[in-house]
């Protein structure tokens, strides 16, 4: 874990996570070296092109940022494992990353009572705050933030200035 790495190395070394993907890129249990590297079809996950990947990415970035990770490598840029299709179509994860990049330079610590169902990331830039909420489930969920109730549709990502 990030906490274990930080305990071992302190601040003397940066901690990075990569590559964050929905499916594994190789098979570490393979007994034959040619089976270690998975084919493109084996690495393909149809959820990459859906709101599921966007919610997964938001939750992962929020958790890793609050764990004091220095950098994260995400997906591929283009292709079936990317944020854009080979025809330049934007997958939902693209929009999440765009919002995070434009949202601010600091992640403010937030806590969800049900992080596997719904979670949020609060970004600050100067005196402007952006709240990004993610519903990780296939059901409708309600989230309370600073006395405001938000209703999120299945796998919805909601962005609010707060």
């Amino acid at each position: 874990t990030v906490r274990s790495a930080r305990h071992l190395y302190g601040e003397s070394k940066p901690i990075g996570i990569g590559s964050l993907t929905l499916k594994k890129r190789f098979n570490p249990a393979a007994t034959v070296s040619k089976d270690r590297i998975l084919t493109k079809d084996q690495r393909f996950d149809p959820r990459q092109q859906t709101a599921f990947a966007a919610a997964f990415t938001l939750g992962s970035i929020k958790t890793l940022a609050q764990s004091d990770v220095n950098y994260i490598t995400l997906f591929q840029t283009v292709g079936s494992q990317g944020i854009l299709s080979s025809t330049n179509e934007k997958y939902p994860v693209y929009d999440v990353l765009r919002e995070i990049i434009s949202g601010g330079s600091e992640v403010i610590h937030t806590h969800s009572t049900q992080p596997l169902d719904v979670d949020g990331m609060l970004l600050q830039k100067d005196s402007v705050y952006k709240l990004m909420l993610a519903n990780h489930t296939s059901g409708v969920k309600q989230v309370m933030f600073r006395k405001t109730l938000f209703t999120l549709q299945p796998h919805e990502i909601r962005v609010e200035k707060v």
Side-chain angles (χ1 to χ4, degrees):
T1 66
V2 174
R3 186 177 301 152
S4 298
R6 201 50 85 201
H7 178 75
L8 285 171
Y9 300 106
E11 297 297 324
S12 66
K13 295 191 182 281
I15 296 174
I17 302 296
S19 173
L20 183 67
T21 60
L22 295 178
K23 287 183 82 174
K24 63 184 178 183
R25 297 182 306 148
F26 64 95
N27 180 5
T31 56
V32 178
S33 62
K34 71 174 183 65
D35 294 336
R36 284 207 173 108
I37 304 298
L38 300 178
T39 66
K40 187 176 180 180
D41 288 340
Q42 291 172 315
R43 293 188 315 254
F44 173 72
D45 190 324
R47 300 173 299 174
Q48 182 71 31
Q49 301 162 10
T50 69
F52 175 88
F56 166 83
T57 302
L58 178 63
S60 298
I61 291 173
K62 178 252 179 143
T63 300
L64 291 168
Q66 290 183 177
S67 298
D68 200 25
V69 165
N70 297 93
Y71 61 91
I72 308 167
T73 302
L74 301 167
F75 309 113
Q76 294 175 343
T77 304
V78 177
S80 62
Q81 298 172 313
I83 62 173
L84 298 167
S85 74
S86 57
T87 59
N88 212 28
E89 173 191 352
K90 296 173 185 170
Y91 297 146
V93 69
Y94 175 94
D95 295 321
V96 166
L97 294 173
R98 186 189 69 228
E99 287 290 342
I100 291 170
I101 291 168
S102 70
S105 56
E106 185 175 355
V107 176
I108 306 299
H109 187 84
T110 58
H111 173 76
S112 172
T113 58
Q114 298 177 332
L116 297 179
D117 290 342
V118 292
D119 208 347
M121 182 164 63
L122 185 62
L123 301 168
Q124 179 185 5
K125 185 174 185 177
D126 302 320
S127 61
V128 177
Y129 292 86
K130 181 189 287 190
L131 177 65
M132 297 182 70
L133 298 170
N135 179 353
H136 299 293
T137 74
S138 56
V140 175
K141 294 291 181 180
Q142 292 189 321
V143 177
M144 180 73 72
F145 182 80
R146 293 185 181 165
K147 300 182 182 180
T148 301
L149 185 65
F150 299 96
T151 300
L152 301 175
Q153 298 304 311
H155 301 292
E156 178 183 359
I157 303 289
R158 171 89 52 90
V159 180
E160 298 280 341
K161 301 259 190 207
V162 293

